[in-house]
């Protein structure tokens, strides 16, 4: 027993060490309890209230959720907000044409009247967060899981209703620690957000997908927007009468730069992490899911990339889509290699054994946790083939062949008419007609035909036949892929905007007949029906079982570590992460320093490659050494690395120094550390940030938009 106790202490201590210092995405209202002392020991000069305070202006009032999944920060008292170029990419792309190619040439509004509106784009300010676990769990003790869920849902709805104050605010309740805790988040949402400036892609996306997730990095990844409000500084739909938003707080900008070991803090909205998943799930991710999705996206990127390279018009149409496909594709590659390097499955098994020993010593293994781990083994054995099929449908049918998105909308119209559910039918058809110009504007049929002919055979031959509808199998067996293209794709009315428009404007019987008989819609309906009926419900059910088991397991981990700081997985809510400026050693004999410079951009210059074609104006500034007040040792700093634990959603997050001044904009992680969503490695995990001095240099010297700097508080 003594030996077992010693082993338990060693194993748990090892796990705690892995969670210490730089690792963690911490809840702002708990900083005083868990983190502020350590932060101050590392050099932070401010208090927890300076970061988050509901009664006084604090940093949290200068940070927004930008759109649906990035972070942005206020940098002036006139609503000026900065985020990443890749976060604003779809807005920049939507305003681009061959005549006004803002992706290639950049865009700069030289006055407020030149700023471009972006319908549908919002920014969300957090008013406050609150632990509402007690209120959510009220009257649930002793209930079955099904009854408990209903009460939790009812309690949550009532809490959100009260917090929203009749629609003034948007209220969300999100579970933490797999439903062992619940937090309320109350937001004020602004809907008039205008594009102010963006560098050309040759700066904002310099290095393209080759450099994505890599270090050294030389990307000027920023874009600038302005938030507008009504005369009372309240949210309002777009109006020329709206005025620049007046924030409670904005970040002063430091020109003092960064040095090794400097304290850094990232404050933003990390999207999703899976720090506590079991060895079973890590194994499936590493050996099945990541390789499968990488393989499919290899084909997508090859097809789209070749067409973009051959045609500038296609480049504009597909650049944002290509970026969306490639981002996760490359991240998964690094994640898979990182998990293998860390022996992640064995590490998880080791911790699970330590947990088991702890539970045995506390007399809870047999009564509480043994069944949970037996369930994990059974669930994941069934889960593996179903999640494989789900991944293939997701990558090919739902988000692969582009015209299937029109088939999906058409299928919804058919179902409404067939089932005589005429409520909102006119609106549904009207919305489809209304969205068609945007779809066809960014649609290139020859590219999509190649996706069709390349991806359908992958679906046919890579997954077990039980996951495929019989009519699809027969169609594939009777026709080679070129015949299928001519027989199904090219005969579809979906390929002709005018024909589809005419059909949707016809009498209801003709709408039903023409859509129901369309070969492409038939194919999509068959595939999607099989997925919705035979695959998705099983995956959903298994995921629910996994969640329930994880809830019990997580409660045990929380009990085991009750005297230790423990951070919840990211869930696109406001978090603080902190570390220090430092490089890293990716390989034996290779040491990366913590910063890059403009000289490195010039070294990479290659006019023959779109992503490395340095703008003439930037080369001219470099040759003349016209760096202004942004120069350091005869060069301009561009990017730097630090040991902050970040994830997707942290894109655009402010990176601040020890006194709360903006020193950078977070935009990426290093490739060797992309497994940090699952397992953090303090030796290898680094976030990559744009040095704010480079952003100011581009705005001022390159773009000639120095008037924007007049709005900012710049600290020399």
């Amino acid at each position: 027993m003594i030996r077992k106790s010693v082993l338990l202490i060693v194993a748990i201590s090892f796990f705690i060490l892995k969670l210490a210092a730089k690792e963690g995405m911490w809840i702002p209202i708990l900083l005083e309890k868990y983190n502020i002392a350590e932060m101050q020991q590392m050099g932070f000069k401010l208090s927890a209230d300076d970061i988050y305070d509901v009664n006084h202006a604090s940093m949290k009032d200068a940070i927004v959720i930008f759109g649906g999944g990035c972070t942005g920060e206020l940098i002036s008292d006139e609503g000026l907000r900065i985020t990443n170029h890749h976060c604003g990419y779809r807005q920049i792309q939507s305003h681009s044409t061959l005549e006004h190619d803002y992706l290639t040439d950049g865009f700069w509004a030289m006055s407020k009247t030149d700023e471009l509106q972006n319908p549908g784009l919002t920014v969300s300010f957090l008013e406050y967060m609150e632990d509402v676990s007690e209120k959510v769990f009220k009257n649930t003790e002793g209930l079955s899981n099904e009854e408990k869920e209903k009460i939790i849902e009812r309690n949550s709805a009532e809490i959100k209703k009260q917090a929203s104050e009749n629609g003034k605010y948007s209220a969300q309740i999100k579970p933490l620690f797999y439903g062992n805790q619940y937090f309320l988040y109350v937001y004020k949402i602004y809907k008039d957000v205008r594009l102010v400036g963006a560098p050309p892609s040759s700066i904002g996306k310099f290095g393209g997908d080759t450099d994505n997730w890599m270090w050294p990095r030389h990307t000027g990844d920023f874009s600038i927007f302005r938030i507008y409000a009504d005369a009372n500084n309240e949210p309002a739909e777009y109006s020329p009468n709206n005025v620049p938003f007046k924030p409670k707080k904005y970040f002063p900008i430091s020109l003092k730069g960064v040095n090794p070991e400097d304290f850094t803090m990232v404050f933003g909205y990390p999207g999703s992490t899976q720090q506590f998943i079991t060895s079973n799930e890590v194994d499936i991710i590493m050996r099945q899911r990541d390789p499968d999705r990488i393989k499919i996206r290899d084909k997508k990127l090859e097809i789209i990339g070749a067409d973009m390279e051959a045609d500038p018009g296609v480049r504009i149409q597909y650049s944002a889509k290509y970026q969306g496909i490639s981002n996760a594709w490359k991240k998964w590659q690094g994640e898979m290699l990182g998990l293998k390097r860390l022996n992640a499955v064995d590490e998880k098994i080791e911790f699970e054994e330590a947990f088991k020993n702890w539970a045995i010593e506390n007399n809870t293994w047999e009564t509480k946790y043994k069944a949970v781990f037996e369930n994990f083994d059974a669930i994941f054995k069934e889960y593996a083939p179903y999640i494989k099929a789900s991944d293939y449908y997701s990558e090919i049918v739902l988000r692969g062949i582009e015209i299937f998105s029109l088939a999906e909308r058409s299928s919804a119209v058919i179902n409404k008419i067939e089932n005589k559910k005429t409520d909102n039918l006119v609106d549904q058809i009207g919305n489809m007609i209304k969205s068609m110009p945007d779809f066809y504007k960014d649609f290139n049929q020859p590219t999509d035909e190649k996706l069709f002919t390349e991806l359908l055979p992958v679906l046919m031959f890579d997954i077990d036949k039980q996951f495929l509808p019989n009519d699809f199998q027969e169609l594939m067996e009777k026709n080679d892929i070129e015949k299928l293209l001519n027989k199904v794709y090219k005969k579809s009315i979906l390929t002709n905007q005018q024909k589809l428009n005419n059909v949707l404007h016809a009498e209801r019987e003709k709408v039903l007949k023409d859509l129901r008989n369309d070969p492409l819609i038939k194919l999509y309906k068959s595939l999607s029906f099989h997925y919705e009926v035979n695959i998705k419900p099983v995956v959903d059910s298994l995921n629910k079982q996994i969640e329930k088991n994880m809830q019990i397991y997580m409660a045990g981990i929380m009990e085991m570590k009750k005297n230790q700081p423990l951070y919840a997985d990211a869930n696109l809510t406001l978090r603080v992460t902190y570390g220090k400026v430092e490089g890293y050693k990716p390989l034996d004999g290779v040491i990366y320093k913590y910063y890059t410079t403009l000289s490195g951009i010039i070294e990479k210059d290659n006019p023959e490659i779109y992503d490395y074609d340095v703008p003439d104006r930037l080369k001219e500034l470099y040759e003349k050494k016209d760096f202004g007040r942004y120069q350091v040792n005869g060069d301009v700093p561009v990017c730097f690395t630090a040991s902050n634990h970040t994830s997707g959603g942290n894109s655009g997050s402010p990176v601040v120094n020890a006194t709360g001044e903006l020193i950078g904009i977070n935009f990426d992680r290093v490739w060797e550390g992309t497994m940090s969503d699952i397992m953090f490695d303090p030796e290898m995990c680094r976030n990559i940030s744009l040095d704010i001095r480079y952003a100011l240099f581009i705005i001022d010297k390159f773009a000639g938009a120095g008037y924007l700097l007049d709005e900012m508080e710049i600290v020399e």
Side-chain angles (χ1 to χ4, degrees):
M1 180 62 72
I2 293 175
R3 174 173 166 73
K4 186 181 289 186
S5 297
V6 170
L7 289 173
L8 174 63
I9 292 168
V10 170
I12 294 176
S13 298
F14 177 76
F15 187 73
I16 291 171
L17 283 174
K18 291 175 73 68
L19 289 178
K22 297 176 288 293
E23 181 177 0
M25 298 175 179
W26 303 97
I27 297 171
I29 60 174
L30 300 178
L31 290 178
E32 186 68 48
K33 180 178 180 181
Y34 291 129
N35 310 99
I36 197 65
E38 181 183 55
M39 293 170 70
Q40 290 170 343
Q41 288 171 5
M42 293 174 65
F44 190 55
K45 306 296 184 186
L46 304 177
S47 69
D49 285 342
D50 290 315
I51 298 171
Y52 180 95
D53 192 331
V54 295
N55 299 312
H56 304 92
S58 60
M59 289 186 202
K60 70 102 173 162
D61 298 308
I63 297 173
V64 298
I65 300 177
F66 176 75
C70 280
T71 304
E73 56 269 16
L74 274 296
I75 54 173
S76 89
D77 64 355
E78 295 186 55
L80 205 63
R81 190 204 53 73
I82 196 165
T83 188
N84 289 152
H85 184 271
H86 74 260
C87 292
Y89 202 76
R90 288 195 180 276
Q91 282 71 42
I92 303 165
Q93 186 259 344
S94 70
H95 291 295
S96 295
T97 63
L98 285 174
E99 295 75 25
H100 299 287
D101 187 354
Y102 299 137
L103 289 176
T104 299
D105 302 328
F107 169 79
W108 300 97
M110 290 304 172
S111 70
K112 291 184 178 68
T113 56
D114 296 329
E115 295 168 2
L116 302 177
Q117 61 170 302
N118 300 280
L121 177 62
T122 63
V123 295
S124 303
F125 286 89
L126 180 70
E127 293 289 300
Y128 65 92
M129 64 175 66
E130 179 186 344
D131 185 343
V132 291
S133 303
E134 187 175 338
K135 296 177 183 177
V136 168
F137 290 131
K138 185 178 179 181
N139 298 325
T140 62
E141 191 172 348
L143 298 180
S144 67
N145 284 334
E146 187 175 341
E147 293 171 326
K148 187 175 181 179
E149 284 178 10
K150 289 179 181 178
I151 299 298
I152 286 174
E153 187 175 333
R154 189 183 309 156
N155 290 343
S156 298
E158 182 58 31
I159 296 166
K160 288 190 291 184
K161 181 181 178 182
Q162 291 180 14
S164 68
E165 296 186 17
N166 296 317
K168 181 180 179 181
Y169 301 107
S170 171
Q172 299 176 1
I173 291 179
K174 290 196 174 185
L176 301 177
F177 298 115
Y178 291 91
N180 284 288
Q181 192 174 32
Y182 284 85
F183 265 64
L184 168 70
Y185 302 89
V186 178
Y187 299 95
K188 183 178 283 190
I189 300 176
Y190 285 78
K191 302 178 181 180
D192 187 354
V193 185
R194 306 180 196 179
L195 177 62
V196 175
S201 292
S202 52
I203 291 175
K205 203 173 178 289
F206 183 78
D209 295 290
T210 303
D211 282 5
N212 190 23
W213 299 104
M214 306 301 288
W215 186 258
R217 198 67 173 275
H218 298 86
T219 310
D221 197 349
F222 77 96
S223 57
I224 300 175
F225 292 76
R226 193 185 303 278
I227 305 166
Y228 281 79
D230 67 14
N232 298 314
N233 209 40
E234 293 296 320
E237 299 290 343
Y238 169 81
S239 167
N241 296 322
N242 286 346
V243 296
F245 169 71
K246 294 293 182 184
K248 299 176 187 176
K249 172 79 175 177
Y250 62 90
F251 285 102
I253 296 174
S254 173
L255 289 183
K256 293 177 283 190
V258 297
N259 293 295
E261 305 298 311
D262 279 357
F263 174 87
T264 60
M265 184 183 87
V266 175
F267 200 11
Y269 288 87
S272 177
T273 59
Q274 300 170 283
Q275 301 291 321
F276 301 103
I277 58 175
T278 65
S279 57
N280 317 68
E281 189 162 3
V282 173
D283 187 70
I284 287 174
I285 290 170
M286 186 172 72
R287 304 184 198 281
Q288 175 182 301
R289 299 197 68 192
D290 282 355
D292 283 350
R293 292 177 293 184
I294 290 165
K295 173 185 174 180
I296 297 169
R297 292 197 178 197
D298 278 340
K299 288 187 177 291
K300 294 183 191 179
L301 292 170
E302 181 183 355
I303 291 165
I304 296 172
D307 284 5
M308 287 172 62
E309 191 68 30
D311 187 332
V314 176
R315 179 177 293 280
I316 292 174
Q317 290 176 311
Y318 281 81
S319 55
K321 301 170 194 174
Y322 187 94
Q323 177 180 281
I325 296 167
S326 67
N327 195 50
W329 165 80
K330 195 164 186 177
K331 183 243 183 179
W332 291 328
Q333 294 176 62
E335 177 179 84
M336 184 171 60
L337 293 173
L339 291 172
K340 287 180 180 177
R341 177 175 54 79
L342 292 175
N343 297 314
V345 174
D346 290 341
E347 288 280 329
K348 287 288 185 180
I349 290 172
E350 183 178 342
F351 177 70
E352 288 159 10
E353 188 64 25
F355 179 87
K356 176 181 177 181
N357 291 336
W358 168 83
I360 289 171
E361 292 200 352
N362 285 273
N363 299 314
T364 53
W365 175 252
E366 292 289 340
T367 58
K368 199 168 187 179
Y369 300 114
K370 182 180 179 181
V372 168
F373 279 86
E374 289 174 348
N375 288 340
F376 277 137
D377 290 337
I379 293 167
F380 279 107
K381 185 176 181 180
E382 184 180 359
Y383 182 73
Y386 275 91
I387 197 61
K388 182 182 184 74
S390 180
D391 284 339
Y392 271 73
Y393 272 84
S394 177
E395 290 292 330
I396 294 172
V397 180
L398 305 181
R399 293 196 300 271
I401 299 163
E402 194 171 6
I403 206 163
F404 276 170
S405 66
L406 275 186
E408 188 275 331
R409 292 177 224 172
S410 302
S411 181
V413 171
I414 292 171
N415 292 338
K416 279 259 185 185
I417 299 174
E418 285 182 335
N419 296 316
K420 303 189 185 311
K421 293 181 178 178
T422 57
D423 56 304
N424 299 321
L425 176 61
V426 173
D427 288 341
Q428 191 166 11
I429 293 174
N431 288 334
M432 186 174 173
I433 292 170
K434 192 175 177 181
S435 67
M436 280 166 47
D438 286 337
F439 174 84
Y440 287 105
K441 172 181 175 286
D442 292 327
F443 173 73
N444 184 56
Q445 185 174 328
T447 301
D448 202 47
E449 288 179 3
K450 293 171 190 172
L451 292 170
F452 182 87
T453 58
E454 287 290 329
L455 295 181
L456 283 184
V458 173
L459 182 68
M460 174 70 179
F461 298 112
D462 274 22
I463 60 175
D464 192 281
K465 295 299 182 284
Q466 68 169 306
F467 299 116
L468 299 170
N470 291 332
D471 54 353
F472 171 69
Q473 294 183 56
E474 291 172 8
L475 194 65
M476 293 293 290
E477 288 166 357
K478 290 180 180 178
N479 299 276
D480 64 39
I481 199 64
E482 286 301 320
K483 283 184 181 177
L484 196 66
L485 180 70
N486 292 321
K487 190 174 181 179
V488 174
Y489 194 112
K490 291 187 176 181
K491 286 191 176 180
S492 173
I493 57 172
L494 301 182
T495 62
N496 187 302
Q497 182 177 355
Q498 189 57 54
K499 281 185 180 179
L500 179 58
N501 189 61
N502 291 342
V503 167
L504 293 174
H505 278 93
E507 293 295 323
R508 193 167 296 168
E509 291 75 14
K510 180 171 175 54
V511 173
L512 178 60
K513 178 183 176 183
D514 288 351
L515 294 183
R516 191 161 52 184
N517 292 331
D518 186 272
L520 193 59
I521 297 174
K522 278 184 178 179
L523 174 60
Y524 172 80
K525 278 176 65 69
S526 173
L527 290 169
S528 63
F529 181 81
H530 194 82
Y531 170 73
E532 292 289 341
V533 172
N534 299 304
I535 300 170
K536 187 176 183 297
V538 178
V539 171
D540 289 347
S541 174
L542 292 171
N543 276 326
K544 196 169 184 179
Q545 293 176 54
I546 292 168
E547 289 283 321
K548 285 298 175 188
N549 274 271
M550 281 300 302
Q551 186 177 36
I552 300 169
Y553 177 41
M554 190 72 239
I557 294 173
M558 294 169 76
E559 175 65 22
M560 185 177 83
K561 293 174 61 63
K562 62 184 175 183
N563 296 319
Q564 299 289 333
L566 191 68
Y567 69 95
D569 275 323
N571 58 355
L572 200 63
T573 58
L574 194 58
R575 302 292 180 92
V576 170
T577 178
Y578 52 93
K580 60 184 179 179
V581 175
E582 57 181 323
Y584 68 110
K585 300 175 183 178
L587 299 166
D588 182 43
V590 177
I591 299 175
Y592 283 146
K593 61 185 182 183
Y594 67 92
Y595 67 94
T596 58
T597 64
L598 181 55
S599 293
I601 293 175
I602 300 303
E603 289 170 2
K604 288 182 175 180
D605 179 33
N606 187 340
E608 301 301 315
I609 302 176
Y610 182 86
D611 291 327
Y612 293 102
D613 187 6
V614 177
D616 290 340
R617 173 61 180 159
L618 192 57
K619 287 188 280 191
E620 178 187 338
L621 290 168
Y622 178 78
E623 289 164 4
K624 292 181 178 179
K625 305 300 178 187
D626 186 7
F627 302 149
R629 55 179 171 166
Y630 315 106
Q631 73 86 28
V632 178
N633 298 323
D635 216 330
V636 181
V638 175
C639 298
F640 65 91
T641 55
S643 52
N644 299 284
H645 188 183
T646 60
S647 184
N650 275 128
S651 290
S653 293
V655 185
V656 301
N657 61 16
T659 54
E661 297 160 347
L662 187 68
I663 54 173
I665 308 166
N666 183 79
F667 70 91
D668 209 348
R669 285 170 282 168
V670 300
W671 193 59
E672 298 86 355
T674 52
M675 70 290 169
S676 63
D677 287 346
I678 296 170
M679 187 170 286
F680 187 85
D681 178 4
E683 299 302 317
M684 206 70 74
C685 292
R686 301 288 181 268
N687 66 303
I688 304 175
S689 301
L690 172 69
D691 193 305
I692 196 64
R693 292 171 292 182
Y694 185 57
L696 297 182
F697 168 73
I698 294 299
I699 295 168
D700 187 4
K701 290 290 186 176
F702 177 86
Y707 81 94
L708 292 172
L709 275 63
D710 296 336
E711 296 184 30
M712 306 174 195
E713 180 184 336
I714 298 177
V715 182
E716 303 248 11

